[in-house]
Amino acid sequence: MALSCDAIIFDLDGVLIDSDAVIRRRWERWANERGIPFEEVEAVYSGRPALEVIEEVAPHLDPEAELDRLGDEMATDVEGLEAFDGATALLNRLPAERWAIATSGRHRTATARMAHVDLPAPKVLVTADDVDQGKPNPEPYQRAANRLGLAPERCVVLEDAPAGVEAADRAGASVIGVATGHPPDALAAAAAVIPEVEALRVQAEDEGLRVDWRRDARG
């Protein structure tokens, strides 16, 4: 099985960058300091904007103030942060106008992490600061496609979180799940599930991209 598209839109954390340890560490510390059971936070933070998570699990707190503090910590904590194997090479092979990143993280966090692991900067970067509604709402992927000058239906999205898979699907894009933080069954709504971005094979053609994946990946 292969997919043809005009561009690929990548989620950042869990797809291009292995930041799970940082994200978990920061959310756990935040929850503990505010007397909120971490299990409640852990159940909802994956793939979603931090502001929406805070509003859901701590409606008694000032969400903007909490977001500013948490955002500072997320942007400056780089211990254990690294790019997934094959991520940098893949992005460097793609024509600049054929890919974008749409992340639930804030702009300063996303750019700090990309710089730390030496990922190339995309021409189109959509963050939580750019949208009114985050994933699973389709807006992040709709906005990224629009900034590329494309319809979402002509894009393939790589996502590691169920909320992101739902967002891309609702936007009308084809979705490939990346099972770095969730079991493949949790990403079953995707057209295919691969173990990591290194399994992806992309070939530039005259009229777009052909996206394929290793045969040991789940289709």
Side-chain angles (χ1 to χ4, degrees), residues 46-66:
S46 180
R48 296 181 59 196
L51 180 64
E52 295 179 11
V53 175
I54 293 167
E55 290 175 334
E56 181 170 334
V57 302
H60 59 289
L61 298 176
D62 179 343
E64 293 292 345
E66 296 298 321

Side-chain angles (χ1 to χ4, degrees), residues 5-12 15-16 87-102 114 118-126 141 144-145 147-150 154-158 200 202 208-209 211:
C5 63
D6 291 328
I8 301 174
I9 306 175
F10 298 89
D11 182 29
L12 183 62
V15 173
L16 298 173
T88 300
L90 172 60
L91 297 184
N92 283 330
R93 288 197 305 270
L94 291 174
E97 69 278 7
R98 297 286 186 182
W99 68 278
I101 291 175
M114 287 189 292
D118 292 325
L119 277 185
K123 285 189 173 182
V124 172
L125 172 63
V126 175
Y141 286 116
R147 288 186 181 178
L148 287 168
L150 300 170
R154 291 302 305 155
C155 299
V156 166
V157 167
L158 264 71
L200 204 68
V202 182
L209 301 173
V211 182

Side-chain angles (χ1 to χ4, degrees), residues 179-201:
T180 57
H182 294 272
D185 289 349
L187 308 174
V193 179
I194 60 177
E196 71 281 316
V197 71
E198 192 177 24
L200 204 68
R201 300 185 297 196

Side-chain angles (χ1 to χ4, degrees), residues 118-143:
D118 292 325
L119 277 185
K123 285 189 173 182
V124 172
L125 172 63
V126 175
T127 73
D129 299 318
D130 302 310
V131 299
D132 295 321
Q133 298 184 75
K135 307 170 189 179
N137 189 280
E139 184 183 355
Y141 286 116
Q142 291 170 335
R143 192 172 294 271

Side-chain angles (χ1 to χ4, degrees), residues 19-68:
S19 55
D20 183 66
V22 174
I23 294 171
R24 181 183 177 85
R25 181 166 61 242
R26 287 295 145 193
W27 274 119
E28 187 169 16
R29 178 177 175 180
W30 178 85
N32 290 338
E33 289 179 347
R34 285 148 187 80
I36 300 169
F38 175 61
E39 293 76 12
E40 295 180 9
V41 180
E42 186 179 26
V44 297
Y45 74 63
S46 180
R48 296 181 59 196
L51 180 64
E52 295 179 11
V53 175
I54 293 167
E55 290 175 334
E56 181 170 334
V57 302
H60 59 289
L61 298 176
D62 179 343
E64 293 292 345
E66 296 298 321
L67 180 64
D68 283 342

